[in-house]
């Protein structure tokens, strides 16, 4: 039998069946307990009628968990009130011209905008005063409503005192999302301490460009993006590998449809990861099981099989022509001139330096992948087979994964899977660009008519960057290990500097848009928040960050503002409108910051050349579209004098593809593909054809299997307990599989024998949308555990489970399944924190409560390498997830 499920048979699923059932798949892949029983919906059922005449308006989705949202959503508005929603119906659906259909999250956004969880007015914690903060009451105190003048006066005065008494190194900005506005304010005051977190990118933020591969899915071409081919070329692949990714959850719009088209065209789908997820099930993929944090062991064994069995004539596994022309350091015959050690990758794999050949038998003990699966995979991704290897960042969000992206690149190079039709190897299954990379065919404008910018960037005057994986312990200890700021490195190692210990004294924490649940070691974070002088939050819901603040400043949802147009994916340009006037007493974060600047004697016009409405207009007026010849760039939008006057803007008349108001009313503009266009994209094509004249961004211009710069930069940090080689090797991950044993040699399990990983979840967007009851009813945020492990502990589907380690305790409902490897636990990312103050248990199930601080690895956050234990909870069981009450506090 092939894999776990074998070759179940060829299937042909049409577009309507696929997208109308993608949510139901979450409950149908033998993942009992994931959702209540679902009934088949009538896809073409008529919308309920209304007596009043309304208008369908294109609306934004709050979802940033999919990278900005590749979907088009619309809302029916009557007299300013949003009544119901639908998704893209701007044209007939076809593979060449597909509708951009929304997922359950985006199509439920009305409940988010109008829900009881909205922050309605500024609030102050009752126990807080400027003279006596009573920090120990944060998280449990009552609240009182205050005016905007009071709130802004309080915040301005606290900022003034902070910067005068302690300086900019006493301010910690811990927010995400709308941080740009508050960055302007804090930088104008002198700067702030930045939290250095490679976040979604994991180790992929740490030097891919330095070794000559790509960094991000960025379709505009920045940062070495566009690493795989477009969706039409995907149809030419014979095998498609989805490595550690689940686009049906993470980007639940069109991406799964692209892969389904390729499957129906004859491609074999392979999934690599610790669980057989929804995407793998939908595509009937063969499952290659790999434990979290052990991917390098698996891939080294793959390399061993390819090296041991390659025969250029009888069994051509390796593309030696590509290795010789396009890589450096693979074997002793193509070493770089700057090499400081006489070692190379191929000899390491064969065991020359450590006496350990990286055989499948060696690897299986570590990664859990059966020997036959390792051998099958190595023989499948061979040179003479059209293979597309699409991975996400998930396997790089682990401790000690600095070598992972280099090893992925090396395996792709061995098969020659760069720069050819049907072949690819890169970040092809991540968020909105999953399955369809290449330059955007439509790009929004970024300047006014005179060429001046519509937004500004303010550099931080100080260089404090505290690594996220020990941020809260560092604040408590008053010191941290500085090594530069990888956030500004854009996939290179240029900003890394030799490490040094620095003292730090934080007195204020500033949050933007529920950042508290996104960082590890939440328990220590609460301790910090109850210790500092002042905490302020800007948000639109009563998030965990807001709960532990002193002052809360409420902002509108995205339906109540001009959010601007964006690339849904490379073919579609989304133009959401402002649906309604701002509700309650909310104010735009830009206006909040401008008012604070005025109070503090700072000119806001220096930092905000445009308001939101102006930026919206200029983004549309300056939008361009690539013509079918693939070369000519033309204006997208027709602009008349009347248009510019109506928006109060300066812009010359121009002729485009669509009128301004027509585009706004339609809500999107999409390029229709045809056999005659020149829109096709093959990643690395120019580099493969002529690497000398199309160099990568590495020192040599080639893909560096041996990279001296990488080794020198990493080892200079002085933060790790090992020496990193210039080529990829295997090293047991801190808090990884080997660490789960009290004695590795005898295989005696330790106190925390289970590996936890934290995938993106279909039921929310990072930590947003947890507040939506309608989505919680469909997606119940369980803890996924292996059926054998559950049986040994007497656990059944639906039981309340206590997951715990030395960092904390959380509760989730059990979902028992054979679709997850034994010894592994999946806690989908993003639950809101709800600590029981008596026993310290988080009843909200936030996974970051269990992820502690670490001083043993490079400054990246290993979200998917955490050791835990679990047991059936003997206390008050959790209520059904949809009965969770998420509201603002009574005042």
């Amino acid at each position: 039998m092939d894999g776990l499920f074998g070759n179940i048979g060829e299937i042909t699923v049409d577009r309507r069946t696929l997208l109308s059932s993608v949510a139901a798949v979450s409950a149908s892949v033998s993942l009992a307990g994931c959702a209540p029983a679902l009934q088949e919906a009538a896809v073409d059922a008529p919308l309920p009628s209304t007596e009043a005449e309304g208008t369908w308006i294109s609306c934004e989705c709050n979802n940033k968990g999919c990278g900005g949202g590749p979907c088009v959503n619309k809302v029916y508005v009557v007299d300013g009130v949003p009544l119901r929603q639908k998704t893209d119906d701007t044209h007939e659906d076809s593979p060449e011209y597909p509708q951009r259909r929304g997922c359950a999250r985006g199509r439920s956004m009305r409940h988010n905008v109008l829900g009881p969880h909205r922050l309605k007015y500024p609030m102050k914690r009752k126990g807080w005063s400027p003279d006596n903060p009573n920090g120990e009451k944060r998280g449990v105190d009552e609240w009182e409503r205050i005016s905007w003048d009071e709130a802004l006066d309080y915040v301005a005065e606290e900022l003034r005192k902070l910067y005068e008494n302690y300086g900019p190194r006493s301010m910690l900005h811990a927010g995400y999302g709308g941080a740009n506005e508050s960055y302007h304010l804090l930088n104008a005051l002198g700067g702030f301490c930045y939290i250095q977190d490679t976040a979604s990118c994991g180790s992929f933020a740490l030097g891919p460009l330095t070794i000559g591969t790509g960094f991000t899915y960025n379709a505009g071409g920045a940062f070495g993006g566009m690493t795989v081919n477009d969706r039409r070329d995907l149809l030419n692949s014979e095998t498609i590998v989805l490595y550690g990714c689940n686009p049906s959850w993470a980007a639940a719009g069109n991406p799964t449809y692209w892969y389904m088209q390729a499957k129906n065209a004859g491609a074999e789908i392979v999934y690599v990861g610790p669980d057989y997820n929804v995407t793998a099930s939908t595509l009937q993929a063969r499952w290659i099981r790999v434990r979290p944090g052990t991917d390098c062991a698996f891939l080294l064994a793959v390399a061993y099989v390819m090296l041991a069995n390659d025969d250029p004539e009888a069994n051509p596994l390796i593309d030696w022509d590509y290795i010789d022309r396009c890589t450096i350091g693979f074997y002793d015959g193509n070493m770089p001139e700057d090499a400081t050690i006489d070692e190379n990758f191929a000899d390491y794999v064969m065991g020359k330096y450590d006496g350990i050949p990286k055989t499948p038998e060696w690897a299986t003990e570590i990664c859990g992948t059966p020997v036959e699966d390792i051998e099958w995979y190595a023989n499948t991704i061979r040179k003479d087979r059209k293979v597309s290897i699409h991975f996400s960042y998930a396997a790089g969000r682990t401790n000690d994964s600095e070598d992972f992206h280099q090893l992925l690149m090396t395996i792709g190079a061995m098969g020659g899977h760069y720069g050819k039709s049907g072949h690819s190897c890169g970040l092809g299954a991540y968020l909105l660009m999953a399955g369809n990379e290449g330059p955007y065919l439509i790009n929004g404008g970024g300047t006014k008519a005179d060429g001046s910018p519509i937004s500004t960037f303010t550099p931080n005057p100080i260089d404090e960057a505290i690594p996220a994986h020990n941020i809260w312990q560092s604040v408590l200890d008053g010191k941290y290990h500085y090594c530069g700021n990888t956030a500004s490195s854009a996939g290179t190692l240029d900003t890394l500097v030799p490490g040094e210990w620095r003292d730090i004294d934080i007195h204020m924490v500033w949050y933007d848009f529920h950042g508290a649940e996104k960082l590890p070691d939440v328990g220590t974070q609460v301790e910090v928040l109850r210790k500092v002088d002042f905490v302020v939050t800007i948000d639109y819901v009563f998030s965990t960050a807001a709960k532990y603040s002193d002052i809360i400043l409420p902002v509108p949802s995205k339906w109540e503002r001009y959010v601007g147009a964006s690339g849904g994916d490379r073919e579609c340009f989304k133009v959401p409108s402002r649906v309604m006037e701002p509700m309650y007493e909310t104010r735009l974060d830009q206006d909040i910051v401008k008012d604070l600047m005025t109070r503090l004697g700072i000119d806001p016009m220096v930092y905000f050349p445009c308001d939101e409405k102006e930026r919206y207009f200029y983004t549309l007026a300056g939008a361009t579209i690539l013509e079918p010849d693939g070369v000519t760039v033309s204006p997208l939008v027709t602009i008349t004098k009347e248009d510019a006057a109506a928006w109060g803007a300066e812009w010359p008349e121009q002729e485009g593809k669509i009128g301004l108001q027509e585009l706004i009313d339609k809500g999107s503009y999409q390029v229709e593909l045809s056999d005659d266009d020149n829109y096709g994209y093959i990643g690395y094509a120019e580099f493969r054809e002529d690497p000398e004249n199309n160099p990568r961004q590495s020192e040599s211009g080639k893909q560096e299997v041996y990279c001296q710069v990488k080794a020198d930069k990493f080892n200079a940090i002085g933060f790790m307990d090992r020496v990193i080689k210039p080529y990829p090797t295997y090293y047991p991950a801190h808090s990884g599989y080997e660490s789960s044993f009290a004695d590795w040699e005898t295989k005696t399990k330790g106190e925390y024998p289970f590996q936890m990983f934290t995938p993106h979840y279909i039921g929310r967007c990072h930590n947003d949308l947890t507040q939506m009851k309608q989505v919680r009813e469909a997606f119940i945020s369980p803890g996924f555990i292996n059926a054998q492990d559950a049986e040994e502990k007497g656990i059944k589907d639906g039981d309340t489970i206590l997951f715990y380690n030395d960092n904390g305790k959380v509760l989730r409902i059990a979902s028992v399944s054979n679709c997850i490897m034994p010894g592994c636990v999946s806690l989908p990312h993003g639950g809101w924190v709800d600590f029981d103050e008596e026993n310290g248990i988080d009843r909200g199930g936030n996974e970051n409560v269990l992820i502690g601080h670490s001083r043993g690895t490079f400054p990246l956050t290993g979200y998917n390498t955490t050791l835990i234990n679990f047991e059936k909870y003997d206390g008050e069981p959790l209520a059904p997830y949809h009965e969770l009450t998420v509201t603002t506090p009574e005042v």
Side-chain angles (χ1 to χ4, degrees):
M1 177 177 288
D2 292 336
L4 178 66
F5 295 98
N7 185 4
I8 301 174
E10 293 299 322
I11 59 170
T12 302
V13 179
D14 64 25
R15 161 79 155 169
R16 185 173 300 279
T17 302
L18 171 67
L19 291 183
S20 65
S21 65
V22 69
V25 176
S26 300
S28 65
V29 192
S30 300
L31 301 182
C34 283
L38 298 175
Q39 296 180 347
E40 184 175 352
V43 177
D44 294 318
L47 289 166
S49 62
T50 179
E51 295 181 1
E53 287 296 324
T55 304
W56 284 104
I57 299 177
S58 178
C59 59
E60 180 65 296
C61 173
N62 259 53
N63 184 3
K64 289 297 180 185
C66 63
C71 313
V72 174
N73 290 288
K74 297 193 174 186
V75 58
Y76 190 68
V77 180
V78 177
D79 295 331
V81 180
L83 296 182
R84 58 180 182 266
Q85 287 187 246
K86 67 177 180 179
T87 190
D88 188 14
D89 60 357
T90 54
H91 53 78
E92 291 296 320
D93 187 48
S94 69
E96 297 77 19
Y97 196 37
Q99 294 172 349
R100 261 50 186 184
R101 298 185 182 174
C103 73
R105 297 172 292 200
R107 296 171 74 167
S108 302
M109 202 56 58
R110 185 175 68 90
H111 303 294
N112 186 40
V113 174
L114 303 178
H117 45 265
R118 287 289 304 274
L119 291 172
K120 300 176 177 64
Y121 28 73
M123 294 192 295
K124 181 183 80 71
R125 188 168 55 80
K126 280 188 175 181
W128 178 86
S129 70
D131 299 324
N132 187 5
N134 287 311
E136 71 280 359
K137 294 184 178 181
R138 293 185 183 119
V140 295
D141 210 347
E142 295 181 333
W143 293 86
E144 60 185 2
R145 178 179 180 176
I146 59 177
S147 70
W148 270 108
D149 281 339
E150 289 178 289
L152 295 174
D153 286 343
Y154 279 134
V155 175
E157 183 57 28
E158 291 301 311
L159 288 168
R160 192 190 314 276
K161 289 192 303 184
L162 179 86
Y163 280 89
E164 287 179 356
N165 296 334
Y166 303 107
R169 298 179 75 251
S170 64
M171 165 63 78
L172 178 67
H173 189 289
Y176 285 79
N180 289 339
E181 280 74 11
S182 54
Y183 282 179
H184 287 316
L185 169 64
L186 302 183
N187 287 336
L189 289 170
F192 62 94
C193 290
Y194 176 84
I195 297 180
Q196 176 177 267
D197 188 6
T198 59
S200 293
C201 301
S203 60
F204 285 89
L206 305 175
L209 300 187
T210 300
I211 65 170
T213 187
F215 164 52
T216 178
Y217 64 91
N218 184 288
F223 311 146
M226 304 180 294
T227 56
V228 302
N229 308 346
D230 65 60
R231 66 182 178 89
R232 288 189 293 182
D233 189 72
L234 194 64
L235 303 178
N236 296 321
S237 297
E238 296 174 280
T239 295
I240 298 171
V241 177
L242 298 177
Y243 201 116
C245 43
N246 187 9
S248 292
W249 271 10
N254 283 49
T256 303
Y257 180 45
W258 310 149
Y259 291 113
M260 182 62 75
Q261 286 180 313
K263 179 176 179 61
N264 288 339
E268 175 186 36
I269 311 296
V270 180
Y271 171 73
V272 181
D275 66 335
Y276 194 77
N277 60 34
V278 175
T279 304
S281 173
T282 301
L283 300 173
Q284 291 191 330
R286 174 168 178 152
W287 184 17
I288 303 296
R289 291 156 281 179
V290 178
R291 294 186 179 108
T294 66
D295 299 272
C296 285
F298 165 70
L299 292 173
L300 286 169
V302 169
Y304 178 92
V305 173
M306 296 180 75
L307 283 165
N309 296 336
D310 175 69
D311 185 317
E313 298 298 330
N315 191 31
L317 298 177
I318 300 175
D319 188 337
W320 289 105
D321 173 68
Y322 186 87
I323 293 290
D324 288 334
R325 293 189 305 107
C326 300
T327 75
I328 195 165
F330 181 79
Y331 65 104
D332 59 5
N334 71 341
M335 292 295 290
E337 294 181 358
D338 64 349
T340 62
I341 59 174
D342 186 20
E343 296 180 11
N344 63 79
F345 175 76
D347 284 342
Y348 167 76
V349 170
M350 304 311 289
K352 179 177 180 179
Y353 309 123
D354 58 6
I356 304 174
K358 309 309 178 290
T359 64
E361 290 76 15
W362 163 81
T364 188
E365 183 180 32
I366 300 169
C367 63
T369 314
V371 168
E372 58 270 25
D373 281 355
I374 296 173
E375 294 174 341
W376 178 88
Y377 186 88
N379 283 284
T380 297
I381 62 169
R382 56 193 300 125
K383 166 191 173 181
D384 56 358
R385 186 171 179 83
K386 293 182 178 180
V387 179
S388 287
I389 303 172
H390 287 196
F391 47 84
S392 72
Y393 289 136
R397 292 193 288 268
T398 62
N399 297 326
D400 293 285
S401 61
E402 292 83 7
D403 286 342
F404 177 56
H405 60 272
Q406 189 180 21
L407 187 47
L408 277 172
M409 177 195 73
T410 302
I411 295 296
M414 290 177 71
H417 302 309
Y418 288 98
K420 295 192 296 184
S421 175
H423 301 253
S424 62
C425 181
L427 193 68
Y430 183 69
L431 301 187
L432 78 163
M433 295 299 291
N436 189 25
E437 285 206 11
Y440 279 145
L441 306 181
I442 306 174
N443 287 285
T447 66
K448 299 180 182 180
D450 62 5
S452 60
I454 61 176
S455 61
T456 60
F457 170 75
T458 309
N460 192 337
I462 65 174
D463 67 350
E464 305 295 346
I466 308 175
H469 70 293
N470 60 7
I471 172 65
W472 304 116
Q473 193 61 46
S474 295
V475 174
L476 282 183
D477 293 344
K479 64 178 182 178
Y480 79 100
H481 196 97
Y482 176 80
C483 60
N485 189 347
T486 58
S488 60
S489 65
T492 73
L493 297 176
D494 296 343
T495 60
L496 287 184
V497 299
E500 65 178 24
W501 285 98
R502 291 184 176 184
D503 292 334
I504 201 72
D505 184 22
I506 299 300
H507 286 262
M508 181 185 294
V509 179
W510 183 294
Y511 285 107
D512 281 291
F513 298 94
H514 34 291
E517 307 97 335
K518 295 184 180 181
L519 294 171
D521 205 7
V522 174
T524 306
Q525 178 179 199
V526 170
E527 188 177 350
V528 167
L529 294 178
R530 288 175 170 167
K531 174 184 176 183
V532 297
D533 299 341
F534 187 67
V535 184
V536 62
T537 287
I538 294 178
D539 213 329
Y540 79 105
V541 292
F542 190 64
S543 60
T544 302
K547 182 178 179 180
Y548 286 91
S549 295
D550 299 314
I551 300 290
I552 300 173
L553 306 175
V555 293
S557 72
K558 293 183 179 179
W559 282 17
E560 302 155 62
R561 59 197 309 170
Y562 293 97
V563 295
S566 64
D569 59 25
R570 71 183 304 250
E571 301 159 29
C572 182
F573 187 64
K574 295 194 312 174
V575 185
S577 294
R578 189 175 76 159
V579 173
M580 53 200 290
E581 293 289 330
M583 297 174 65
Y584 314 115
E585 294 181 17
T586 60
R587 298 187 62 188
L588 294 173
D589 38 329
Q590 180 183 123
D591 292 339
I592 293 171
V593 168
K594 288 164 70 174
D595 278 356
L596 288 171
M597 284 182 167
T598 300
R599 281 169 164 79
L600 293 165
I602 302 167
D603 182 4
M605 293 307 297
V606 174
Y607 303 92
F608 298 100
C610 292
D611 62 23
E612 278 197 351
K613 185 175 180 181
E614 289 176 300
R615 286 205 304 261
Y616 183 86
F617 171 80
Y618 289 125
T619 301
L620 298 184
T624 58
I625 183 170
L626 186 67
E627 298 287 355
D629 63 9
V631 177
T632 307
V633 176
S634 302
L636 173 66
V637 185
T638 297
I639 302 293
T640 65
K641 291 180 179 179
E642 292 75 18
D643 291 329
W647 285 82
E650 297 284 341
W651 196 270
E653 291 190 293
Q654 67 184 31
E655 187 69 27
K657 306 291 184 183
I658 187 172
L660 176 62
Q661 192 57 50
E662 181 185 357
L663 176 61
I664 293 172
D665 292 341
K666 188 177 180 181
S668 64
Y669 190 92
Q670 185 174 331
V671 174
E672 184 172 2
L673 305 180
S674 73
D675 292 338
D676 300 325
D677 67 53
N678 196 29
Y679 291 137
Y681 179 75
I682 306 293
Y684 293 87
E686 294 83 3
F687 172 70
R688 182 189 185 96
E689 179 67 24
D690 186 356
E692 302 301 326
N693 291 310
N694 299 281
R696 304 298 297 172
Q697 295 186 33
S698 62
E699 187 79 12
S700 66
K702 296 185 177 183
Q703 293 180 320
E704 297 192 354
V705 179
Y706 179 112
C707 180
Q708 192 65 53
V709 173
K710 163 210 157 186
D712 292 345
K713 285 283 191 177
F714 282 167
N715 291 325
I717 294 169
F719 197 50
M720 292 169 285
D721 56 1
R722 65 184 176 105
V723 174
I724 287 186
K725 296 280 189 176
Y727 55 86
T729 64
Y730 177 72
Y731 187 85
H734 175 76
S735 295
Y737 177 64
E738 288 94 325
S739 301
S740 70
F741 293 88
D743 188 319
W744 171 254
E745 297 301 324
T746 63
K747 296 301 181 289
T748 303
K749 276 293 186 179
E751 184 178 3
Y752 302 115
F754 296 94
Q755 291 185 272
M756 180 186 78
F757 59 98
T758 61
H760 284 269
Y761 191 45
I762 181 63
R764 50 182 171 255
C765 314
H766 289 300
N767 301 82
D768 201 1
L769 309 187
T770 294
Q771 61 271 20
M772 288 166 52
K773 178 178 180 180
Q774 291 75 9
V775 178
R776 292 200 308 272
E777 190 169 4
F779 308 107
I780 67 170
S781 188
F784 296 100
I785 54 181
N786 174 267
Q788 178 181 329
D789 295 334
E791 184 178 4
E792 291 177 358
K793 290 178 174 284
I795 290 172
K796 302 186 297 298
D797 250 9
D799 287 344
T800 298
I801 305 302
L802 177 69
F803 299 93
Y804 62 94
N805 59 17
D806 289 339
N807 303 311
K809 304 173 183 178
V810 305
L811 299 181
R812 292 266 187 125
I813 300 296
S815 178
V816 178
S817 168
N818 280 314
C819 294
I820 186 169
M821 292 180 71
C824 294
V825 171
S826 171
L827 296 189
H829 160 57
W832 282 14
V833 176
D834 181 19
F835 279 120
D836 184 321
E837 292 289 329
E838 293 186 2
N839 56 29
I841 295 175
D842 172 32
R843 297 184 68 86
N846 182 271
E847 74 291 343
N848 283 323
V849 170
L850 300 171
I851 302 174
H853 69 278
S854 168
R855 296 201 187 279
T857 59
F858 182 82
L860 69 89
T861 306
Y863 293 101
N864 291 325
T865 32
T866 299
L867 297 179
I868 66 170
N869 209 333
F870 64 89
E871 61 189 33
K872 185 174 180 179
Y873 185 54
D874 59 5
E876 179 185 357
L878 289 174
Y881 190 47
H882 67 277
E883 293 182 7
L884 172 70
T885 300
V886 183
T887 62
T888 55
E890 294 184 4
V891 295

